[in-house]
Amino acid sequence: MDTITLLQHYWWFIISLFGALLVFLMFVQGGQALLYALGRNERERNLLTGVLGHKWELTFTTLVTFGGAFFASFPLFYSTSFGGAFYVWMAILFCFVLQAVAYEYRRKPANVFGERTFNAFLLINGVLGPLLIGTAVGTFFTGAEFTVDRLNLANQGGAAVISQWATPWHGLEAIAEWRNVLLGAALVMLTKTLACQYFMHQIDDEAILRRARRGVRIFGPLFVLHFVIWTAGLLVADGWTANAAEIISVEPCKYLHNLMDMPYVAVILLVGVAAVLWSLFLGWHGKRQAIWFGGAGTVLTVLSLLLLAGWNGTAYYPSLTDMQSSLTISNSSSSLFTLKTMAWVSLFIPFVVAYIWYVWGALSRKTGERASDGEGY
């Protein structure tokens, strides 16, 4: 494996890791979606928002970092998807703006809109955020309607636009593919399950603990059902693969073959799924440590699925309009110089992770003090 190929695989791993961390941190969205289901009065809802309020910024920061890493390492995807499917990405951005506004103003003195208005903003972000992100990520496996023509760079008569979206829906057509929506629904169920586990770990309130435990028993099995159906469909589905000459072709059961060709990814997937299932067992019985197994299992499972989407010559963004326009980590990456430079910068990632871990603990202690009497966000 030459240097640029190694760096392309390395950066796809980094992006996959950021994506996996993002999915785990979206328990904040799951908690917001359960704001009225678990909080039956103002004090209880303030307890819930109190333990979530110091964590939403980590989720938003990870989302921005995920997008920035994608832009720097695989700019052709960024320009194709973010520039073409902009209705979907703008909807996601709008959801997160609502979240930021809600946490900033919901309990401000002389709030003319009232808490219920900003609680509604949190509910919108809690449901639509995971649903839209899951549906968008589903296109990594099912494809999208776009074309790529690098010869446009030589166009002297107008703007040099490499990618063109082939439909006027600009990404909204993804909801017509049942596998995309199913993945989005699975993500909604997962975030709610993780949120219940997090509340069980963080809040000392008997009524909320009882409802959170019941939530694990409801949303956990629903997530498993959605995920099993989606995974089964993925393993028997066709995939797009690139040969040594970067010619794209259809390969039946491509993702099943990827698991067989990359047994280490299969092991990561199995360990992740086992950890999530164990967390459901613990949460079913009201154990506070369920969130740690749920979080670790979520990260490992999502990491393995994203690696399946990009490694082993797989087109991680198939084009349904022109097969040869499909994006792989080879034909959509930055230059060797850029990848090398970013690789040196990425050596600071462990320090960033250590800082996040420290901030997580510090904010959790601070949140616990506020949540005991219903103060905070």
Side-chain angles (χ1 to χ4, degrees):
M1 186 179 294
D2 57 17
T3 302
I4 190 168
T5 302
L6 179 63
L7 288 172
Q8 289 164 346
H9 282 75
Y10 170 75
W11 274 105
W12 185 259
F13 174 83
I14 295 296
I15 288 172
S16 300
L17 181 60
F18 278 132
L21 291 172
L22 172 62
V23 171
F24 162 59
L25 291 172
M26 288 180 70
F27 72 82
V28 174
Q29 275 64 37
Q32 294 167 184
L34 297 173
L35 191 58
Y36 283 91
L38 300 185
R40 302 297 172 79
N41 54 54
E42 183 179 353
R43 174 188 168 276
E44 291 178 348
R45 286 190 286 273
N46 288 336
L47 280 171
L48 298 176
T49 56
V51 299
L52 294 174
H54 290 289
K55 296 298 189 293
W56 77 268
E57 292 161 317
L58 293 178
T59 308
F60 189 80
T61 301
T62 305
L63 175 63
V64 173
T65 304
F66 173 77
F70 231 136
F71 170 73
S73 52
F74 300 100
L76 189 53
F77 167 79
Y78 195 89
S79 64
T80 300
S81 180
F82 287 75
F86 54 80
Y87 286 161
V88 172
W89 293 114
M90 288 300 294
I92 292 173
L93 178 60
F94 179 72
C95 284
F96 279 87
V97 170
L98 286 181
Q99 180 193 42
V101 171
Y103 279 117
E104 180 66 25
Y105 293 106
R106 72 180 293 272
R107 300 198 69 195
K108 288 287 187 181
N111 177 3
V112 296
F113 295 104
E115 281 191 24
R116 289 192 175 185
T117 299
F118 295 105
N119 287 345
F121 289 175
L122 294 178
L123 287 171
I124 292 172
N125 176 260
V127 176
L128 287 184
L131 181 63
L132 291 172
I133 289 178
T135 302
V137 172
T139 61
F140 282 13
F141 303 94
T142 60
E145 302 279 355
F146 65 90
T147 59
V148 175
D149 187 358
R150 291 174 175 81
L151 295 179
N152 284 343
L153 286 174
N155 182 12
Q156 301 296 323
V161 179
I162 299 178
S163 305
Q164 296 282 351
W165 209 255
T167 75
W169 295 100
H170 292 287
L172 295 180
E173 69 276 359
I175 62 177
E177 170 58 59
W178 67 270
R179 290 177 293 171
N180 297 337
V181 179
L182 185 64
L183 183 59
L187 187 54
V188 172
M189 297 299 113
L190 174 61
T191 58
K192 290 184 177 182
T193 303
L194 292 174
C196 290
Q197 294 175 349
Y198 180 69
F199 290 142
M200 291 168 61
H201 180 272
Q202 198 70 16
I203 296 179
D204 290 318
D205 183 273
E206 191 61 35
I208 292 179
L209 289 176
R210 184 174 62 254
R211 295 172 198 142
R213 181 181 177 185
R214 186 166 60 246
V216 172
R217 294 181 174 185
I218 296 173
F219 300 116
L222 286 174
F223 161 69
V224 172
L225 177 63
H226 284 79
F227 182 74
V228 168
I229 296 175
W230 181 84
T231 304
L234 176 69
L235 295 181
V236 299
D238 294 342
W240 281 252
T241 187
N243 60 20
E246 287 295 325
I247 303 300
I248 309 294
S249 61
V250 175
E251 180 179 336
C253 300
K254 170 62 176 174
Y255 301 101
L256 177 60
H257 295 163
N258 283 356
L259 281 176
M260 298 170 63
D261 294 341
M262 301 182 293
Y264 46 90
V265 176
V267 170
I268 295 173
L269 176 61
L270 291 176
V271 172
V273 170
V276 171
L277 293 176
W278 180 246
S279 78
L280 297 181
F281 174 81
L282 294 176
W284 189 285
H285 292 84
K287 303 297 183 181
R288 290 180 176 269
Q289 66 269 34
I291 183 60
W292 298 115
F293 290 94
T298 297
V299 171
L300 292 176
T301 301
V302 176
L303 173 64
S304 62
L305 291 175
L306 291 177
L307 293 180
L308 287 181
W311 282 2
N312 199 36
T314 310
Y316 69 85
Y317 205 43
S319 171
L320 302 178
T321 303
D322 174 25
M323 184 182 300
Q324 301 310 314
S325 294
S326 301
L327 303 185
T328 67
I329 62 174
S330 298
N331 66 20
S332 63
S333 74
S334 295
S335 65
L336 176 60
F337 173 79
T338 301
L339 294 177
K340 276 185 175 181
T341 303
M342 292 194 306
W344 284 107
V345 174
S346 71
L347 297 178
F348 291 97
I349 290 178
F351 298 98
V352 175
V353 172
Y355 173 75
I356 292 175
W357 184 268
Y358 169 77
V359 171
W360 176 285
L363 292 179
S364 293
R365 290 190 294 271
K366 185 177 181 181
T367 301
E369 296 170 0
R370 292 186 174 185
S372 62
D373 58 3
E375 295 182 357
Y377 285 88

